[in-house]
């Protein structure tokens, strides 16, 4: 490429860098000769080669990256362009003497401290990760992607590159104190040589000992996928509760990684199916937040892992460790002590995440839903079953904070129970009805009250646990709030308490101590701080647990007190998933609804089934077609090329139509004979089984 330049005597001199770069080149030596030959050169256009003119230096555009993973398997990932621009703006405005700036990135799920160059998770516990302002990248022989240099290293590379471009002097060698060397051959070829360690005596030359790294400048010159930014508006907030064990899928990933996949798929669906609505601002995004309860159960606070480890056999240690870490969660949930810990952790974590999200998104007015996988769905099912619709429940009443008992006095209560002799004992300790509601069995035992009266008092308090707006009599409730185990007529409902089942269902368990509705252990269920719109159960064993608890059927009119919708979603090959709708409508065998794939195709197992069926049909048709052709060739009579001609006759005594009919008839007969032949062959094993083998066995 060439261009015309105008030069006149008396114009300003070229820059110093350009003069220094061209004074020793052949073009500089030839240019005075050209001026002497051309008398009008001082006012004419000259053809100059662009390759001889060094390109002007342009400052590199940085992009921010964050590190993910451990030191030995760390990987660097770019922020979105919106987040990178926010970090760059904060970095440029930050002064040395100012306090550190905090920038919210990735949908405000992470905070980046710009001066500290650290990224912190907001909603869950995660180790801080490093953040870099990246301008230079390298790729080694064994690397699959370009990795960013440190900021100090990149700064020295940028200074050397600026000098090389300005002076047009390449093949510059840049040495570092660590023994590393970077050679700038040209703008497109820059190599990084690492220091040679232990020299191999079989290697002949130093160049064969270590292969250099390829160095690139700027994120636009490397192959990296920069993610799109997330919409700021959030339409739906979903809390996801995991199942047994710390791993949530077959790849042994944590709940945080699996929830990240849900979020990524949701953003892809928005971009592919609702792109126009998203661009116009009509549709926001769905935010997924993980709820982790396994670490609280198996942490140092409970000490359950140490107790289990003391009684665990040393043989097959890996299998026993897997069992203790995963399968035992089912037994822990059926224990009153640890079930209370699990339920309290789930409810408090959901309320904490909800409050923190509202604090960071004060403008949020969308819907809220909960998702439970495996055992997590059962935890949410029991939790939602025991929610209360009173205003006090919406304030997030924690476990252990009880509602006030009815306006009966202590004396009236003891008189009703026939325990007037203990009135003086309780009054001596200044115990009133509110204090009695907070007492446990051990407290009454310390006062000297025997076991029988203690049980009567505690049972009466538990029956009167709820305030007047949370009706204790089932007859005062509508059919929508009737628990599922109460499916009898209204006359029987009015005589039964809210969270008791019919004793006629089973007599093997004393449900006096399992009196919270559906056979789960008797614990205090905390209240959520919001009304969930939908409850999604993924791969859920709810139906199996309800059956094991003795529940036969669920009233079709039943609904959760605070949740409107419930979806039981499962994969047909999931060994932990069970259906729940046959317990609601047992008279009709309802087929499950097939969820359509978001890409318009069938699910993988259905595509595999259809492919195998299609392959078998094609194979069968091809084999039968080949056999039919062979049979026809065997049974076809030899036909002369031309029929014989009698004397005085003609070559054809029949019409063409008659010949065609006779040929079709013969072909049909051969086809029928072929079909009968192969039908007999295929039915031969059945005939052998029917006539021969049965006779032998008889």
């Amino acid at each position: 490429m060439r261009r015309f330049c105008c030069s006149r005597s008396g114009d300003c001199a070229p820059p110093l860098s350009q003069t220094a770069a061209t004074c020793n080149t052949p073009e500089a030596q030839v240019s005075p000769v050209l001026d002497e030959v051309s008398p009008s050169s001082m006012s004419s256009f000259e053809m100059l080669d662009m390759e001889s003119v060094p390109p002007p230096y342009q400052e590199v555009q940085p992009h921010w990256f964050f590190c993910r993973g451990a030191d030995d398997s760390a990987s660097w990932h770019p922020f979105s362009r919106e987040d990178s621009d926010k970090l760059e703006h904060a970095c440029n405005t930050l002064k040395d003497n100012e306090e550190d700036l905090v920038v919210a990135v990735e949908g405000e799920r992470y905070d980046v401290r710009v001066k500290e160059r650290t990224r912190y998770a907001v909603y869950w516990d995660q180790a801080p990760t490093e953040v870099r302002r990246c301008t230079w990248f390298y790729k080694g022989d064994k690397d699959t992607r370009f990795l960013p240099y440190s900021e100090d290293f990149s700064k020295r590379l940028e200074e050397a590159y600026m000098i090389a471009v300005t002076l047009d002097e390449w093949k510059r060698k840049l040495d570092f104190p660590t023994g590393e060397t970077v050679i700038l051959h040209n703008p497109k070829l820059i190599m990084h040589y690492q220091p040679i360690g232990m020299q191999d005596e079989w290697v002949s030359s130093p160049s064969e000992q270590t292969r250099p790294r390829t160095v690139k400048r700027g994120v636009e010159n490397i192959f990296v996928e920069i993610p799109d930014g997330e919409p700021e508006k959030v339409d739906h907030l979903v809390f996801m509760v995991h199942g047994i064990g710390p791993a949530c899928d077959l790849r042994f990933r944590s709940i945080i990684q699996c929830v990240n996949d849900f979020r990524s798929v949701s953003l892809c669906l928005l971009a592919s199916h609702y792109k126009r609505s998203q661009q116009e601002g009509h549709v926001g995004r769905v935010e997924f937040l993980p709820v982790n309860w396994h670490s609280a159960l198996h942490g140092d606070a409970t000490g359950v892992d140490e107790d289990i480890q003391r009684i665990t056999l040393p043989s097959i240690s890996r299998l026993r460790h897997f069992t203790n870490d995963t399968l035992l969660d089912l037994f822990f949930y059926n224990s009153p002590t640890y079930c209370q810990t699990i339920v309290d952790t789930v409810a408090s974590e959901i309320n904490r995440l909800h409050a923190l999200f509202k604090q960071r998104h004060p403008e949020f007015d969308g819907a809220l839903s909960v998702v439970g996988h495996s055992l997590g769905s059962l935890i949410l099912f029991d939790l939602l079953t025991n929610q209360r619709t009173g205003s006090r429940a919406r304030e997030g009443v924690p476990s252990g904070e009880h509602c006030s008992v009815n306006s009966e006095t202590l004396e009236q209560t003891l008189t009703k129970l026939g325990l007037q002799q203990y009135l003086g004992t309780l009054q001596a300790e200044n115990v009133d009805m509110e204090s009695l509601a907070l007492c446990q069995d051990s407290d009454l035992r310390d006062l000297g009250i025997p076991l029988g009266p203690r049980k009567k008092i505690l049972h009466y308090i538990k029956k009167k646990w709820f305030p007047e707006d949370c009706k204790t009599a089932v007859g005062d409730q509508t059919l929508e709030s009737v628990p599922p185990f109460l499916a009898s007529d209204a006359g029987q409902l009015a005589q039964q308490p809210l969270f008791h089942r019919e004793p006629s269902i089973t007599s093997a368990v004393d449900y006096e101590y399992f009196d919270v509705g559906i056979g789960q252990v008797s614990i205090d269920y905390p209240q959520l701080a919001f009304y969930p719109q939908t409850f999604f159960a993924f791969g859920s064993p709810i139906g199996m647990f309800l059956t094991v608890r003795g529940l036969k059927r669920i009233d079709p009119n039943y609904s959760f007190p605070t949740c409107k919708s419930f979806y039981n979603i499962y994969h047909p090959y999931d060994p932990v998933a069970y259906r729940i709708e046959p317990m609601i409508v047992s008279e009709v065998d309802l087929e499950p609804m097939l969820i359509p794939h978001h890409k318009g195709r069938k699910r993988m197992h259905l595509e595999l089934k259809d492919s195998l069926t299609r392959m078998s049909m094609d194979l069968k048709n091809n084999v039968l077609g080949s056999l039919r052709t062979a049979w026809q060739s065997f049974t076809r009579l030899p036909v002369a090329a031309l029929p014989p001609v009698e004397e005085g006759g003609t070559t054809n005594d029949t019409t063409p139509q008659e010949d065609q009919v006779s040929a079709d008839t013969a072909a049909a007969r051969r086809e029928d004979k072929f079909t009968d032949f192969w039908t007999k062959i295929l039915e031969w094993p059945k005939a052998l089984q029917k006539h021969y083998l049965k006779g032998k066995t008889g």
Side-chain angles (χ1 to χ4, degrees):
M1 182 176 67
R2 310 178 74 87
R3 71 174 183 181
F4 291 97
C5 296
C6 179
S7 60
R8 298 177 181 271
S9 59
D11 288 350
C12 61
L16 178 62
S17 60
Q18 183 176 351
T19 305
T22 58
C23 62
N24 296 324
T25 59
E27 290 79 3
Q29 299 175 1
V30 172
S31 57
V33 179
L34 293 176
D35 291 341
E36 294 177 359
V37 171
S38 178
S40 60
S41 60
M42 301 301 294
S43 60
S44 63
F45 290 97
E46 298 176 352
M47 299 290 293
L48 298 179
D49 192 350
M50 284 297 298
E51 295 180 357
S52 63
V53 179
Y57 169 76
Q58 295 181 355
E59 187 176 357
V60 63
Q61 296 297 324
H63 195 92
W64 290 72
F65 281 66
F66 65 91
C67 182
R68 179 184 296 169
D71 294 336
D72 54 347
S73 61
S75 59
W76 289 88
H77 302 269
F79 286 102
S80 65
R81 297 194 182 276
E82 291 81 358
D83 291 342
S84 180
D85 293 341
K86 290 192 297 184
L87 292 172
E88 182 66 18
H89 177 72
C91 181
N92 294 333
T93 57
L94 184 64
K95 298 181 180 180
D96 295 337
N97 55 355
E98 290 183 353
E99 296 182 357
D100 200 353
L101 291 179
V102 178
V103 179
V105 296
E106 300 184 62
E108 298 193 17
R109 294 181 300 274
Y110 290 90
D111 285 339
V112 174
R113 299 179 182 177
V114 180
K115 184 181 295 185
E116 187 180 326
R117 295 293 198 268
T118 311
R119 168 176 166 265
Y120 293 88
V122 175
Y123 296 103
W124 52 81
D125 293 333
Q126 185 177 343
T129 56
E130 183 184 356
V131 172
R132 285 183 186 176
R133 180 179 181 268
C134 303
T135 54
W136 286 80
F137 305 85
Y138 70 91
K139 181 179 179 182
D141 185 39
K142 298 181 180 179
D143 296 329
T144 58
R145 63 176 66 183
F146 280 90
L147 302 176
Y149 282 112
S150 64
E151 296 189 30
D152 293 337
F153 200 98
S154 299
K155 186 177 181 180
R156 291 200 58 185
L157 288 177
E158 184 65 21
E159 291 175 354
Y161 179 85
M162 179 182 64
I163 296 174
V165 171
T166 304
L167 301 180
D168 196 21
E169 294 180 355
W170 296 99
K171 299 188 181 299
R172 300 178 62 89
K173 184 177 180 182
L174 185 62
D175 295 324
F176 290 86
T178 57
E180 298 173 295
T181 302
V182 176
I183 300 179
L184 288 77
H185 297 279
N186 55 60
K188 301 296 183 181
L189 181 60
I190 303 175
M191 307 304 293
H192 178 189
Y193 297 89
Q194 294 177 295
I196 302 174
M198 298 296 294
Q199 294 199 5
D200 192 349
E201 56 185 19
W202 294 100
V203 180
S204 58
S205 62
S207 61
E208 297 178 3
Q209 296 175 5
T210 57
R211 294 193 176 185
R213 294 174 173 177
T214 303
V215 182
K216 295 293 183 180
R217 178 178 180 265
V219 71
E220 64 276 1
N221 293 322
I222 64 174
F223 299 99
V224 61
E225 183 178 358
I226 299 178
D228 298 328
E230 301 180 13
E232 295 183 1
K233 180 183 176 182
V234 178
D235 292 338
H236 207 122
L237 177 60
V238 181
F239 302 97
M240 307 192 72
V241 183
H242 66 86
I244 61 174
C248 297
D249 61 357
L250 296 178
R251 289 185 284 176
F252 295 95
R253 296 185 301 170
S254 64
I255 177 66
I256 298 175
Q257 294 173 309
C258 294
V259 171
N260 289 340
D261 278 356
F262 268 91
R263 191 182 303 109
S264 300
V265 172
S266 174
L267 293 175
C268 292
L269 289 177
L270 285 176
S272 60
H273 291 65
Y274 305 97
K275 185 175 182 179
R276 183 175 179 180
S277 299
Q278 184 179 1
Q279 293 176 349
E280 295 177 353
H282 302 308
V283 176
R285 62 183 175 91
V286 181
E287 182 61 272
F288 297 87
L289 296 180
V291 179
N292 187 1
W293 56 265
H294 184 271
S295 57
L297 175 64
H298 294 267
D300 297 335
T302 60
V304 63
D305 286 355
E306 296 180 1
D307 298 337
I308 293 296
Q309 189 61 35
R310 284 200 300 266
I311 62 176
T312 302
L313 298 178
S315 58
I316 52 175
S317 58
R318 291 187 178 181
L319 180 59
R320 295 187 187 277
H321 175 73
F322 174 78
T323 303
N324 294 342
D325 209 25
T326 56
L327 299 181
L328 286 187
D329 289 343
L330 295 173
F331 300 99
F332 287 142
Y333 187 68
N334 289 295
S335 167
T337 302
Y338 299 110
C339 181
Q340 186 71 65
T341 301
I342 294 174
V343 172
D344 286 346
T345 303
V346 171
S348 61
E349 185 69 6
I350 291 178
N351 289 335
R352 183 188 70 85
L353 293 174
H354 175 256
L356 185 57
F357 183 84
K358 291 287 291 183
Q359 179 182 353
R360 297 178 69 90
H361 299 81
E363 73 285 351
F364 173 74
D365 59 351
L368 300 103
S369 297
V370 290
V371 173
H373 172 248
S374 184
L375 182 61
S377 63
L378 180 65
I379 298 172
L380 288 176
F381 185 88
D382 293 341
L383 188 63
L384 293 176
T385 303
N386 292 274
Q387 294 296 294
R388 301 191 293 271
T389 57
S391 59
R392 185 174 175 81
R394 300 284 63 77
E395 298 174 0
V397 179
S399 174
E401 182 180 345
H402 310 300
C403 301
S404 60
V405 188
N406 294 343
S407 59
E408 293 181 353
T409 63
L410 180 62
E411 183 178 0
Q412 292 174 346
T413 301
L414 295 178
T415 302
K416 183 182 297 186
L417 297 176
L419 303 174
Q420 302 91 332
Q421 64 271 26
Y422 300 106
L423 177 62
T425 304
L426 295 175
Q427 289 179 346
E429 298 292 336
N430 294 326
V431 176
D432 55 7
M433 286 301 298
E434 186 176 355
S435 302
L436 187 61
L438 299 174
C439 289
Q440 300 179 359
D441 184 79
S442 59
D443 300 327
L444 299 179
R445 184 175 63 248
D446 294 340
L447 295 177
I449 301 177
L451 177 63
R454 293 202 308 266
K455 292 299 181 182
K456 285 185 178 181
I457 294 174
L458 293 176
H459 179 63
Y460 181 81
I461 294 297
K462 190 175 296 184
K463 288 173 59 178
K464 299 293 183 179
W465 208 249
F466 304 102
E468 191 63 25
D469 55 350
C470 302
K471 303 295 183 179
T472 59
V474 178
D476 296 337
Q477 298 196 14
T478 60
L479 287 177
E480 284 77 9
S481 60
V482 176
F485 50 87
L486 299 178
S488 56
D489 55 316
Q492 296 176 348
L493 292 176
Q495 302 175 0
Q496 297 178 358
L498 175 59
F499 292 109
H500 284 256
R501 72 168 67 210
E502 294 178 297
S504 60
I505 294 179
T506 176
S507 59
V509 181
D510 185 6
Y511 283 100
E512 183 69 18
Y513 303 100
F514 296 79
D515 56 354
V516 284
I518 50 178
Q520 64 268 33
V521 294
S522 178
I523 62 173
D524 297 327
Y525 280 89
Q527 303 298 304
L528 298 179
F530 58 91
Y531 284 172
Q533 183 189 67
T534 308
F535 169 33
F536 298 94
F538 292 163
S540 173
I542 294 176
M544 183 270 291
F545 270 86
L546 295 182
T547 303
V548 171
R549 289 171 177 176
L551 183 65
K552 298 298 182 181
R553 62 184 297 267
I554 300 176
D555 187 1
N557 296 320
Y558 172 73
S559 63
F560 294 116
T562 60
C563 186
K564 297 180 181 179
S565 304
F566 170 59
Y567 294 94
N568 184 31
I569 303 174
Y570 63 90
H571 193 280
Y573 297 154
D574 188 351
V576 187
Y578 290 85
R579 297 183 65 179
I580 196 173
E581 58 272 19
M583 302 182 67
I584 303 174
V585 184
S586 58
E587 299 82 6
V588 183
D589 186 12
L590 299 176
E591 290 292 332
M593 297 295 295
L594 180 63
I595 300 178
H597 199 278
H598 65 278
K599 293 185 178 179
R601 59 176 179 84
K602 294 183 179 180
R603 299 288 170 180
M604 184 178 65
H605 65 284
L606 297 178
E607 286 190 346
L608 181 61
K609 180 180 178 181
D610 293 345
S611 299
L612 293 177
T613 303
R614 187 164 52 252
M615 289 174 58
S616 62
M617 291 299 297
D618 293 342
L619 182 61
K620 178 181 177 182
N621 294 334
N622 292 336
V623 171
L624 291 180
S626 301
L627 293 176
R628 183 182 296 108
T629 303
W631 176 257
Q632 290 176 355
S633 63
F634 289 152
T635 57
R636 185 181 298 114
L637 297 176
V639 180
L642 293 176
V645 181
E646 299 179 357
E647 291 187 24
T650 60
T651 58
N652 191 3
D653 296 335
T654 60
T655 62
Q657 291 78 6
E658 293 176 352
D659 292 340
Q660 183 66 30
V661 171
S662 61
D664 294 342
T665 304
R669 290 176 180 175
R670 287 195 300 269
E671 184 72 21
D672 294 341
K673 187 183 296 183
F674 169 78
T675 304
D676 295 340
F677 173 76
W678 286 107
T679 301
K680 292 178 180 180
I681 290 179
L682 295 176
E683 293 181 353
W684 175 76
K686 297 181 180 179
L688 181 65
Q689 174 71 21
K690 181 178 180 181
H691 298 288
Y692 180 72
L693 296 180
K694 285 187 177 181
K696 285 288 186 180
T697 56

